[in-house]
Amino acid sequence: MSPDRRGQPAARVVRGAALLLAVVALGHTLWNGVAQPGHALAFGLLVAVGELARWGALPGEREPAPLGAAGALAYALLGQSAGQTTTHGALQVVTVVVAAQLLASVPHLARGSGPGPDQAARRVLTAAFAAVCFQPLHHSGLSERWLGEGPYVALLLLLLLLLTALCDAVLAALTAGTDRPYGPRLRDELRALSGIGSAVCATGAVMALGVAVAGLWALPVLCVPLLLTQVSFRRYAAVRTTYRQTIASLARSTEIAGYTPHGHARRVADLSTAVGRELGLGGPELTVLEYAALMHDIGQLALVDPVPHGATAGLPVSEQRRIALLGGAVVRQTGVDPAVAVVVERQADPYREQRTAARIVRAVNAYDDLCGEGGKGSLQALEQLRLGTGRDYQPQVVEALARVLARGGPLPVRAG
């Protein structure tokens, strides 16, 4: 049974807090009116356009609408426009962000896509966090008295953006659709900050500073670098998708040739990735692990007689190593990352001589083999793996596998 986001108390709390804040902000703005409506309209349109131009999630990236995120942060941190002090407050920032998201959601909903409630809640709460940190300092004059003007203001904005990014990572970990422990989830989110999230923070700060000097005319110019970055990431996503599809096609060659059962490579890859996340792997390590798990049986294509049901776990150790070395040689000729070939080659070695990825692939492959045709049940397979922890399978990997299975198995791996 897959985890259900709607059943997670933390996710419900985050969505409830965002909804309550949005209602309060909208009511306050309707009652008191919109301060500097030109600025509110300009930044609202910027956020809406950014939300309309959102992309599908990329591997390791957690911000599908970078331009919208940068626009929301810039408005939250805006203190001046063309040298004149701005008068909007934190609640108006929330109102503009909510209105822009509602406007942009109409065409997305018509296509059956768009941000989910957790993403929308994160956008509202992170923009509110940045605005609450900055706007009171600005309106009270404390920021000018403490820092004056110049580079210190820029440093303050960068510090607030860093805190806002950390706040967003905490919220993303709370609303992640998985039952993994919170610590590993937060580590994954913090690792993802080094991707386009850093470009979003930098662009948000530059937009706020640019509008402070040149006015709203600076917005179109300052959006260009992030738009170019977004186009580059779209192309990167297309390349990564084609690359993963090629590897998946190579992995299926053993199934088409009748050497392994149907779906074996995909099952091992999904379960290995879930175990890797359980053990705290992230980013490039998970990518190498997934590719190695998909191609772990490709060495069987060199065999004259297929292994019954493709189950290499029951073969003599020498034969397992020979098949693994043949598979590594094939992987090296495909142009895939050499780290993938190393994992494939070492998957049959004693676990004390293996890297973590190879340990995971070996244990998960053995589990799927034991549960295959004519094999054992899930509990019996796990018990047999535990009996082999003296030499063949690392105990921590086997226990991580047991925890993943106890929660109902892995979530589907995102394409990209």
Side-chain angles (χ1 to χ4, degrees), residues 18-38:
L19 179 60
L20 177 61
L21 180 60
V23 170
V24 171
L26 288 169
H28 177 273
T29 304
L30 289 174
W31 182 264
N32 294 283
V34 178
Q36 296 178 305

Side-chain angles (χ1 to χ4, degrees), residues 279-339:
L279 292 172
L281 302 184
E285 294 173 306
L286 285 175
T287 300
V288 169
L289 174 60
E290 182 192 358
Y291 292 171
L294 282 170
M295 305 180 74
H296 75 279
D297 270 333
I298 203 167
Q300 293 196 42
L301 293 174
L303 301 178
V304 177
D305 298 317
V307 178
H309 307 305
T312 56
L315 295 177
V317 174
S318 59
E319 185 66 9
Q320 292 184 38
R321 286 182 174 176
R322 186 175 77 87
I323 294 173
L325 290 173
L326 289 171
V330 173
V331 173
R332 291 184 187 278
Q333 294 177 15
T334 63
V336 178
D337 186 348

Side-chain angles (χ1 to χ4, degrees), residues 102-128:
L102 291 174
L103 177 64
S105 67
V106 174
H108 281 306
L109 292 175
R111 296 196 304 265
S113 61
D118 292 340
Q119 289 180 336
R122 279 172 45 203
R123 176 78 79 241
V124 171
L125 292 177
T126 52

Side-chain angles (χ1 to χ4, degrees), residues 104-387:
S105 67
V106 174
H108 281 306
L109 292 175
R111 296 196 304 265
S113 61
D118 292 340
Q119 289 180 336
R122 279 172 45 203
R123 176 78 79 241
V124 171
L125 292 177
T126 52
F129 178 85
V132 167
C133 288
F134 177 78
Q135 293 299 330
L137 287 176
H138 165 68
H139 291 306
S140 64
L142 291 177
S143 59
E144 293 182 3
R145 288 200 297 270
W146 291 349
L147 303 175
E149 298 180 356
Y152 296 109
V153 175
L155 289 176
L156 174 63
L157 294 184
L158 291 175
L159 175 61
L160 293 179
L161 285 170
L162 176 61
L163 294 175
T164 303
L166 293 176
C167 172
D168 189 37
V170 170
L171 293 174
L174 286 173
T175 57
T178 173
D179 285 341
R180 292 172 63 215
Y182 180 75
R185 282 184 279 160
L186 182 58
R187 282 201 301 271
D188 286 349
E189 297 298 333
L190 292 175
R191 285 171 178 156
L193 290 178
S194 61
I196 199 168
S198 58
V200 169
C201 290
T203 304
V206 170
M207 281 183 180
L209 293 172
V211 172
V213 175
L216 294 177
W217 294 106
L219 282 180
V221 177
L222 297 175
C223 287
V224 172
L226 190 58
L227 287 173
L228 294 176
T229 302
Q230 185 165 347
V231 171
S232 298
F233 268 79
R234 282 185 181 274
R235 293 180 178 176
Y236 166 78
V239 172
R240 285 294 300 273
T241 300
T242 303
Y243 189 61
R244 180 175 271 116
Q245 290 172 347
T246 301
I247 290 176
S249 298
L250 287 171
R252 291 190 64 245
S253 62
T254 58
E255 300 173 12
I256 295 172
Y259 283 87
T260 57
H262 177 72
H264 170 72
R266 186 73 261 174
R267 288 194 301 273
V268 172
D270 289 346
L271 194 48
S272 294
T273 304
V275 173
R277 290 196 182 99
E278 183 74 19
L279 292 172
L281 302 184
E285 294 173 306
L286 285 175
T287 300
V288 169
L289 174 60
E290 182 192 358
Y291 292 171
L294 282 170
M295 305 180 74
H296 75 279
D297 270 333
I298 203 167
Q300 293 196 42
L301 293 174
L303 301 178
V304 177
D305 298 317
V307 178
H309 307 305
T312 56
L315 295 177
V317 174
S318 59
E319 185 66 9
Q320 292 184 38
R321 286 182 174 176
R322 186 175 77 87
I323 294 173
L325 290 173
L326 289 171
V330 173
V331 173
R332 291 184 187 278
Q333 294 177 15
T334 63
V336 178
D337 186 348
V340 176
V342 172
V343 174
V344 173
E345 290 171 343
R346 303 297 299 275
Q347 63 178 305
D349 294 348
Y351 77 80
R352 293 179 178 84
E353 301 174 12
Q354 294 174 320
R355 298 179 181 178
T356 300
R359 294 170 177 174
I360 294 172
V361 171
R362 178 168 191 178
V364 173
N365 175 56
Y367 171 81
D368 196 74
D369 285 347
L370 292 169
C371 293
E373 294 184 30
K376 306 175 184 295
S378 176
L379 294 177
Q380 290 177 301
L382 280 173
E383 186 60 30
Q384 187 156 336
L385 292 184
R386 288 189 174 106
L387 292 175

